[in-house]
Amino acid sequence: MSIADTALIVIDAQESFRHRPYWRDDDVAAYIGRQQALVDGAKRNGIPVVQIFHVEESGVFSEASGFVTTLAPLRIDADVTFRKRRHSALVGSGLDVWLTTHGIRRVIVSGVRTEQCCETTARHASDLGYDVDYVGEATLTFPMVDVEGREWSAAEIRARTELVLAGRFARIATVEEALVGMPRTAA
């Protein structure tokens, strides 16, 4: 794979999440820093940036809410923007047609929520035959409580997502590795 057939997908990095009860600021600054580095690096390297927004009929994810905008202080000069209503950015958004039309064979997945829309899109892209780089450090999520009452930290959720994707659905990459398309070396 080369930079020429690669696209960066930034999923659901939107203000809507600030208005959900589970929102926490804990990891936001680190996420914003890594996501911005990925976006800026993609632009420098001529990799198209695809921005995805999740939309719903009502509530904070509705267009009418005014919150379906880029998560501040991120600056994303997207080459193309799509709206989705499902977890996978590849369902009903037009993204799959755009990727095919533009000769994209490799996608770099980043954005908000690590274990939901980012993971689902990575799995779906892999199943469709794309090479997938999953940049966990450029994803954001929030703690969750399981059915037994245990709270899983955002770091644990990210680690679990990377574990189940690695080598099966995606190559787990840092921002820098994703931008040059080089595999992570084993420790």
Side-chain angles (χ1 to χ4, degrees):
M1 295 295 104
S2 72
I3 296 299
D5 63 2
T6 298
L8 168 62
I9 304 175
V10 182
I11 301 168
D12 302 349
Q14 64 194 75
E15 284 295 318
S16 306
F17 284 102
R18 286 192 201 272
H19 304 278
R20 289 291 205 199
Y22 50 74
W23 175 269
R24 293 191 192 175
D25 288 323
D26 306 358
D27 300 322
V28 175
Y31 161 71
I32 294 285
R34 299 314 292 156
Q35 182 71 79
Q36 193 66 62
L38 187 56
V39 168
D40 294 347
K43 283 299 205 181
R44 266 192 317 277
N45 289 331
I47 297 170
V49 176
V50 179
Q51 187 166 19
I52 307 293
F53 288 113
H54 186 85
V55 295
E56 297 175 357
E57 292 300 317
S58 61
V60 298
F61 285 88
S62 72
E63 299 278 2
S65 73
F67 301 129
V68 181
T69 61
T70 303
L71 183 66
L74 274 175
R75 296 170 322 282
I76 301 174
D77 179 20
D79 293 281
V80 64
T81 301
F82 295 97
R83 283 160 169 66
K84 67 176 183 62
R85 295 182 178 277
R86 300 284 186 253
H87 288 99
S88 174
L90 291 156
V91 174
S93 67
L95 173 60
D96 55 340
V97 173
W98 186 90
L99 294 171
T100 301
T101 301
H102 287 82
I104 303 300
R105 297 182 48 220
R106 176 177 162 252
V107 294
I108 302 169
V109 175
S110 65
V112 180
R113 291 198 60 189
T114 305
E115 77 292 349
Q116 289 187 38
C117 297
C118 296
E119 180 179 335
T120 302
T121 299
R123 287 172 180 263
H124 192 173
S126 174
D127 282 351
L128 290 174
Y130 292 97
D131 287 318
V132 179
D133 275 4
Y134 188 87
V135 185
E137 67 182 0
T139 68
L140 177 68
T141 198
F142 310 95
M144 297 173 70
V145 177
D146 68 21
V147 296
E148 296 173 359
R150 176 182 181 254
E151 182 175 282
W152 292 68
S153 71
E156 289 172 316
I157 293 167
R158 179 177 151 198
R160 174 245 161 240
T161 296
E162 290 180 359
L163 170 69
V164 299
L165 290 177
R168 296 168 193 86
F169 299 97
R171 179 181 73 131
I172 307 306
T174 65
V175 166
E176 294 76 17
E177 290 164 347
L179 289 172
V180 296
M182 299 302 292
R184 176 182 283 185
T185 55

